[in-house]
Amino acid sequence: MLFVEETIGVTEATQVAHVPRQRGEQLLGAAAWYAEVRHWDVFPGTWLETVDGAERCSCGDAGCASPGAHPSRPDWAGQATGSAAAARRMWSQHPRSSVLLPTGRSFDALDVPESAGFLALARTERMGLPLGPVTRTPDRRMVIFVLPGAAATAPGLVGRLGWDVGSIDLVGLGEGHYVAGPPTRVGGRGAVQWARRPTPTNRWLPDVEELISPLAYACAREAADTRTRLS
């Protein structure tokens, strides 16, 4: 496997200490693997640079919200490629570039709070529902890969269950959006990791209708718990 899954510690300090600096060959290998084996489009994003002893995003914005893990140019959608050879060329030119995957093509993504994601994954496994790849991000989110079209249909499906996607913090990512692929690192926060790795058995992604009930329930429960804690 061409990815390295970094160990995330318990505290923020250990989190930073245990995340190694990215190596260009890992990023290049991951990008080529996504294109060649999973047939996912990829495109290179920004990267991290050391400026006056501190890591900064290559975009130059000292207050960048997603340092080293966002598109480096406005025409990123046209830059994305499904060719492993093209991916190798692009990352050979900029070896430290983050690995970004456009949604709305081979897959859509459902972005949820990490705690809700873990609960939903446990419920779907108990129910025997199919699951595709799932990532965990350093900002404690979970990204669930599903068939294209999910971003457009998820709000209506959640509404039929009696909730609103905004109030339960369930975000659908489809055409015009992207997700960061492991082993992309987001500033000093940590690296994007696989909660469920891509394997031959999960090549066929689930439809959002198969997952929406346990996922919406988990998100609604997390939202209710958060309101209780803040009250």
Side-chain angles (χ1 to χ4, degrees):
M1 184 67 71
L2 293 170
F3 318 123
V4 173
E5 194 164 341
E6 290 86 350
T7 300
I8 300 298
V10 176
T11 66
E12 185 175 350
T14 57
Q15 209 175 46
V16 174
H18 283 79
V19 178
R21 297 182 67 84
Q22 286 183 340
R23 298 177 180 175
E25 61 269 19
Q26 293 176 354
L27 294 162
L28 184 155
W33 191 90
Y34 292 139
E36 185 170 27
V37 178
R38 295 300 293 201
H39 305 295
W40 293 343
D41 284 0
V42 297
F43 68 97
T46 54
W47 57 89
L48 296 172
E49 298 177 332
T50 301
V51 179
D52 296 330
E55 283 191 325
R56 297 279 180 86
C57 184
S58 62
C59 71
D61 181 2
C64 181
S66 187
H70 65 84
S72 60
R73 44 195 282 185
D75 62 342
W76 61 265
Q79 185 188 22
T81 179
S83 163
R88 290 188 180 95
R89 285 196 298 272
M90 287 191 287
W91 267 269
S92 294
Q93 295 170 4
H94 298 285
R96 292 181 294 167
S97 294
S98 51
V99 180
L100 304 180
L101 312 170
T103 51
R105 300 184 182 188
S106 300
F107 60 86
D108 275 10
L110 300 176
D111 182 323
V112 302
E114 184 181 74
S115 54
F118 277 122
L119 175 60
L121 293 186
R123 288 175 63 87
T124 56
E125 288 177 349
R126 286 197 301 269
M127 297 167 68
L129 297 174
L131 283 168
V134 180
T135 63
R136 296 170 58 197
T137 69
D139 55 351
R140 302 186 67 82
R141 304 288 294 184
M142 191 169 281
V143 178
I144 300 166
F145 289 48
V146 290
L147 287 173
T153 58
L157 294 172
V158 171
R160 289 176 206 165
L161 295 171
W163 292 297
D164 175 78
V165 289
S167 65
I168 64 174
D169 197 11
L170 189 157
V171 180
L173 301 173
E175 186 175 358
H177 297 274
Y178 63 89
V179 298
T184 293
R185 187 158 62 93
V186 186
R189 305 172 204 167
V192 180
Q193 301 182 20
W194 288 113
R196 287 180 57 90
R197 289 177 176 272
T199 68
T201 59
N202 64 23
R203 179 174 297 278
W204 302 107
L205 301 177
D207 190 283
V208 65
E209 293 190 17
E210 298 174 296
L211 303 182
I212 200 64
S213 179
L215 193 58
Y217 168 81
C219 289
R221 178 173 166 177
E222 171 63 18
D225 288 346
T226 298
R227 287 193 294 269
T228 300
R229 289 194 298 268
L230 296 177
S231 63

